[in-house]
């Protein structure tokens, strides 16, 4: 069985951003990584590795984390003219109209360190079986997982690499699958 280190992306090949950078700078770095071709790996990343001034990995910032950083704070319905009933998920349209661009520009100035997921919270060992990475990703609902070796971050394993291993395993064993001929014919 393959280990996490066999499928991870080494840290030196991963897009990084300083913890002192702004969310806007992290968004630009992540957008740039999506446009690059990575040989042997799927194209682009869905997260950036956050490093400190000493180049040590300290966090991970994902698409979801970046979008969450742009989410508006709860708006008090009592302060909206004409609004008497409380609302939770369907605020009056006046709140949302024209809000996106304004909020993106405002919130893009936040510091990455304030919105990143610290690495020390969830990691997987480089020599762990892939199933451990799968378990951690499912349990914590994450798609990028820092890989450590002797307490040093050495890479990132993403759901992309896990899926490609699943696909490779299925393809390699398809002759062993009962009823494979029926599935292969589309019946």
């Amino acid at each position: 069985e393959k280990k996490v280190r066999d499928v991870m992306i080494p840290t030196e090949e991963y897009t990084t951003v300083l913890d002192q950078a702004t969310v806007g700078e992290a968004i630009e770095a992540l957008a740039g990584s999506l446009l690059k071709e990575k040989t042997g790996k799927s194209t682009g990343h869905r997260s950036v590795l956050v490093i400190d001034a000493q180049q040590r990995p300290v966090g991970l910032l994902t698409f979801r984390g970046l979008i969450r950083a742009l989410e508006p704070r709860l708006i008090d319905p009592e302060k909206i003219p004409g609004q008497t009933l409380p609302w939770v998920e369907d605020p009056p349209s006046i709140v949302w109209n024209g809000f996106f661009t304004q909020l993106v520009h405002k919130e893009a100035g936040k510091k990455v360190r304030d919105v990143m997921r610290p690495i020390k919270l969830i990691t997987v060992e480089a020599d762990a079986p892939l199933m451990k990475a799968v378990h951690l990703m499912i349990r914590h609902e994450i798609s990028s997982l820092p890989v450590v070796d002797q307490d040093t971050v050495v890479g990132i394993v993403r759901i992309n690499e896990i899926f490609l291993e699943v696909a490779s395993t299925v393809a390699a064993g398809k002759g062993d699958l009962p009823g494979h001929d029926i599935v292969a014919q589309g019946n």
Side-chain angles (χ1 to χ4, degrees), residues 11 25 28 44 55 74 116 120 147:
T11 53
E25 291 167 329
E28 289 173 5
Q55 302 296 306
L74 292 176
M116 71 180 192
K120 63 184 175 192
V147 179

Side-chain angles (χ1 to χ4, degrees), residues 35-55:
L35 304 176
K36 296 177 185 172
E37 289 290 324
K38 301 288 183 188
T39 58
K41 304 288 182 192
S42 55
T43 303
H45 304 300
R46 298 176 71 112
S47 61
V48 292
L49 185 62
V50 181
I51 57 175
D52 65 13
Q54 290 75 38
Q55 302 296 306

Side-chain angles (χ1 to χ4, degrees), residues 141-154:
E141 298 180 358
I142 55 176
S143 59
S144 298
L145 187 59
V147 179
V148 295
D149 187 6
Q150 298 179 14
D151 294 328
T152 300
V153 177
V154 295

Side-chain angles (χ1 to χ4, degrees), residues 27-101:
I27 290 169
E28 289 173 5
L30 187 53
S33 79
L34 287 174
L35 304 176
K36 296 177 185 172
E37 289 290 324
K38 301 288 183 188
T39 58
K41 304 288 182 192
S42 55
T43 303
H45 304 300
R46 298 176 71 112
S47 61
V48 292
L49 185 62
V50 181
I51 57 175
D52 65 13
Q54 290 75 38
Q55 302 296 306
R56 294 176 302 211
V58 294
L60 197 63
L61 193 51
T62 63
F63 276 172
R64 185 181 306 259
L66 285 166
I67 298 302
R68 189 177 297 123
L70 302 175
E71 182 180 30
R73 307 298 167 262
L74 292 176
I75 300 169
D76 186 354
E78 300 293 323
K79 294 182 180 176
I80 298 175
Q83 180 69 29
T84 56
L85 297 175
W87 44 266
V88 177
E89 293 188 22
D90 192 23
S93 61
I94 189 168
V95 173
W96 301 122
N97 288 336
F99 202 42
F100 181 80
T101 302

Side-chain angles (χ1 to χ4, degrees), residues 165-181:
E165 283 304 312
V166 168
S168 175
T169 302
V170 167
K174 65 182 169 184
D176 299 335
L177 296 175
H180 172 70
D181 294 335

